Amino acid sequence: MTQRETTRGVAAGVAAALSIGALAILGAGTAGAAPGSISWDDGKSQFTRTISNTTPTVGDTVTVTTKFDRTSWVDEYIYSVTDRHPSCLTYIPGSAKMGGAPTDTDDVKPDYAHSSWSIISWVVQNRPGFHATPEYSVSYKVGANCPIGTPLTTGMDYTGSLGSGNYGNKGPSITVAPASTGGTGGTGGTGGTGGTGGTGGTGGTGGTGSLSKLLAGFGS
């Protein structure tokens, strides 16, 4: 076997080992967060609620965001938002935000968090040259008392300059998943087989010298 064939054989063995290891790592990967969203219209108001992880496990943090939008040129001011959630989720103090900035909570109960603002603080706009879609978000920690595998309802209520809306069961829902057990590590690959060294060549046969001829002449 030539040196190139030997090197190629070793490289093939290493590549096979790396491939096996990569497949084992991919097979043992854990599922990531599963965000969920729902949108709906009420009159000329449009709402989108997003949950960062709809299948969390106990101890995880989930963030719920409500986005306000308009489908007409008439502005609306948001006065208050009440985020409704299962009582097994605990509000994380200081997590409430409006428009991406921290905001206070006026009232926090086991099943809701409530914030309010002045009547001109947060406007929702959708007209030429003016577009504003404020978002209200809060974060919760998943408690050990949450039932596993059962869809848990979320929703929100709000008040504004054009009226109020009650959507306490609108969603999305959260389904707490059982804790993962962790994957099994992959098996290491087998190294390539070394090549066989080349066979030594046979020495050449010496030629008949003129001295041999001369000696033969004396002998005869």
Side-chain angles (χ1 to χ4, degrees), residues 9 11 43 52 59 97 101 120 133 135 143 146-148 157 162 174 177 199 211 217:
S52 62
K97 294 180 179 180
I120 58 171
T133 57
E135 297 182 357
C146 283
I148 304 297
D157 303 329
L162 299 180
I174 295 173
T199 304
L211 179 59

Side-chain angles (χ1 to χ4, degrees), residues 9-23 187-192:
V10 173
V14 173
L18 291 175
S19 297
I20 292 171
L23 288 173
T187 304
T190 304

Side-chain angles (χ1 to χ4, degrees), residues 33-122:
S37 246
I38 186 170
S39 296
W40 71 96
D41 292 341
D42 191 348
K44 299 299 183 179
S45 294
Q46 188 175 73
F47 312 93
T48 301
R49 277 176 60 80
T50 302
I51 295 180
S52 62
N53 187 2
T54 57
T55 57
T57 57
V58 172
D60 284 351
T61 296
V62 296
T63 299
V64 183
T65 302
T66 300
K67 178 183 177 182
F68 298 87
D69 206 341
R70 293 285 296 162
T71 58
S72 81
W73 289 8
V74 178
D75 296 350
E76 180 175 18
Y77 288 88
I78 304 301
Y79 298 161
S80 70
V81 179
T82 302
D83 191 84
R84 300 194 178 276
H85 59 88
S87 59
C88 66
L89 302 184
T90 302
Y91 170 73
I92 297 176
S95 66
K97 294 180 179 180
M98 185 59 164
T103 191
D104 293 332
T105 48
D106 305 313
D107 192 15
V108 174
K109 291 290 190 292
D111 59 350
Y112 70 80
H114 175 86
S115 296
S116 62
W117 307 275
S118 73
I119 61 174
I120 58 171
S121 292
W122 295 104

Side-chain angles (χ1 to χ4, degrees), residues 162-186:
L162 299 180
S164 61
N166 300 298
Y167 316 105
N169 298 318
K170 203 68 178 182
S173 63
I174 295 173
T175 302
V176 179
S180 61
T181 57
T184 304

Side-chain angles (χ1 to χ4, degrees), residues 5-18 192:
E5 290 171 336
T6 300
T7 304
R8 190 175 296 168
V10 173
V14 173
L18 291 175

